[in-house]
Amino acid sequence: MISHYLRTIRPTRRAALAAGGTALASLVAGPEFSRASECVLTSRQVDGPYYITGTEDRRDVRSGKPGVSLALRMRVVDAGSCEAIAGARTEIWSCDAFGTYSGHPDVDPNVPPRFGGGGGPGSGGGPGATGADRTDGPRGGSRSPRLGGHRVPTGAGRFLRGSQASSEQGEVEFLTIYPGWYAPRAVHVHVKVHLGANELLTTQLYFPDDLTSTIHRTEAYVSRHPTPYRNSNDRVKYWGLGGSEPVGVFPTMTTEGDLQVGTLTIGVRRA
C-alpha cells in the first residue's frame, strides 16, 4: 500500500509557483543537518552530457512537471574545518518522471547511449578512463553533437534546473520532483558547487531502491515502473573519479506530509 504522502502532484505552472512559495516558506525553520563527524570531503562524479550553463537562480524548479515533490536541503561546508561556506553557488538538475532532461527533448530515455572509444572529453570512456573523460553519454540511435563535453541543447525548456547561493550558514534548499529513470542510469540528481570562478564539486545524489520502487508506482511514473536500473547496476555510480569503490552520495530521506525530503552536508575544499 502506498502511503498518502506519495500522492503524485500534477499542477499547472501557476499553481506550481504558488504552491512552491507556500512549501518553501514552511522550510525556513531549517533542516537538521548532518553531524560534525560527517563533515568529510564529498565524493566527486561526472556531470554528464546534460549540464547546461547559465541556470536560473530559483528554489522551486518544478515548472509544473508532474511527480512527487522532493525538497533537497544541503549545507556546504569546508571539509577540513567543517565551517559553513557562504555564497557558494549550488546547482541541481535532473530528468523528469519520464526520464527526459530539459533542453534535450529529442533524446529517447529508453535507449542506452552509444559510448565512444576515442578517450577524449565526452567520449564516454569507462572505468579505466580518466575522470575528465567519463560521462553518462548521449542517448539515442546516433551520436549527438557535443560542446565542451556536454550535449548541445536542442530545446528551450529548462525545467528541473536551478541554482542558489548558500546562506551565511552554508545552506540551500531546492523544491524539485523525485526523478524518473533513463537508460542506463539509476535514479539520481546532479549537483555542482562553485565559489566565485572556482568549481568546488560536481557529484550525483542517489536514493534507496525501495523508496524509488514505491514512488515509481504512483501516477506520474507507473507507466515505466519498475526501473531496470537499480543502484547496484548503475552505469556511473561505481566509477567515481579515482577508484572502483561505490561513491554515490545518499541524502538522508524523511517525509513531511506530501513532501519527500533529502538532507545532506556537502564537504568541499575551498581551493
Side-chain angles (χ1 to χ4, degrees), residues 33-35 38-43 72-80 82-85 88-92 169-172 174 189-194 200-205 249 251 263-269:
F33 285 106
S34 303
R35 299 176 297 277
E38 295 177 337
C39 293
V40 297
L41 194 64
T42 300
S43 60
L72 291 176
R73 304 174 180 175
M74 298 176 279
R75 183 168 184 252
V76 183
V77 302
D78 185 296
C82 212
E83 294 179 352
I85 300 178
R89 176 60 56 180
T90 303
E91 301 176 68
I92 68 165
Q169 293 74 42
E171 299 174 9
V172 296
F174 290 96
V189 173
H190 295 267
V191 177
K192 190 182 288 285
V193 181
H194 301 265
L200 302 184
L201 177 72
T202 295
T203 194
Q204 298 180 29
L205 311 182
V249 180
T263 304
L264 69 155
T265 295
I266 295 179
V268 298
R269 292 193 181 98

Side-chain angles (χ1 to χ4, degrees), residues 16-93:
L17 293 174
T22 302
L24 287 168
S26 69
L27 305 185
V28 174
E32 295 185 7
F33 285 106
S34 303
R35 299 176 297 277
S37 61
E38 295 177 337
C39 293
V40 297
L41 194 64
T42 300
S43 60
R44 296 180 298 123
Q45 288 198 296
V46 296
D47 56 6
Y50 304 112
Y51 175 67
I52 300 175
T53 59
T55 304
E56 182 180 350
D57 189 330
R58 57 180 179 170
R59 288 179 170 83
D60 187 344
V61 303
R62 294 175 297 173
S63 301
K65 299 298 290 185
V68 171
S69 287
L70 169 66
L72 291 176
R73 304 174 180 175
M74 298 176 279
R75 183 168 184 252
V76 183
V77 302
D78 185 296
S81 66
C82 212
E83 294 179 352
I85 300 178
R89 176 60 56 180
T90 303
E91 301 176 68
I92 68 165
W93 69 101

Side-chain angles (χ1 to χ4, degrees), residues 12-14 26 43 62 67 111 119 270:
T12 63
R13 176 174 175 78
R14 178 176 297 178
S26 69
S43 60
R62 294 175 297 173
V111 178
R270 288 180 188 264

Side-chain angles (χ1 to χ4, degrees), residues 143-226:
R143 296 192 184 278
S144 303
R146 296 298 188 102
L147 180 63
H150 302 123
R151 189 178 187 274
V152 177
T154 57
R158 295 294 183 268
F159 55 81
L160 305 181
R161 299 178 186 269
S163 71
Q164 293 178 51
S166 59
S167 69
E168 289 297 320
Q169 293 74 42
E171 299 174 9
V172 296
E173 297 176 330
F174 290 96
L175 185 62
T176 183
I177 66 165
Y178 200 92
W181 65 270
Y182 62 91
R185 297 301 318 278
V187 169
H188 63 282
V189 173
H190 295 267
V191 177
K192 190 182 288 285
V193 181
H194 301 265
L195 188 61
N198 297 321
E199 181 180 308
L200 302 184
L201 177 72
T202 295
T203 194
Q204 298 180 29
L205 311 182
Y206 297 87
F207 305 90
D209 286 324
D210 57 350
L211 177 61
T212 293
S213 181
T214 299
I215 290 177
H216 282 192
R217 291 190 185 100
T218 62
E219 181 183 357
Y221 311 86
V222 70
S223 64
R224 302 181 73 237
H225 173 76

Side-chain angles (χ1 to χ4, degrees), residues 77-127:
V77 302
D78 185 296
S81 66
C82 212
E83 294 179 352
I85 300 178
R89 176 60 56 180
T90 303
E91 301 176 68
I92 68 165
W93 69 101
S94 67
C95 69
D96 65 12
F98 306 102
T100 300
Y101 278 91
S102 60
H104 303 279
D106 56 324
V107 178
D108 185 349
N110 299 301
V111 178
R114 293 178 57 189
F115 290 97
S123 65

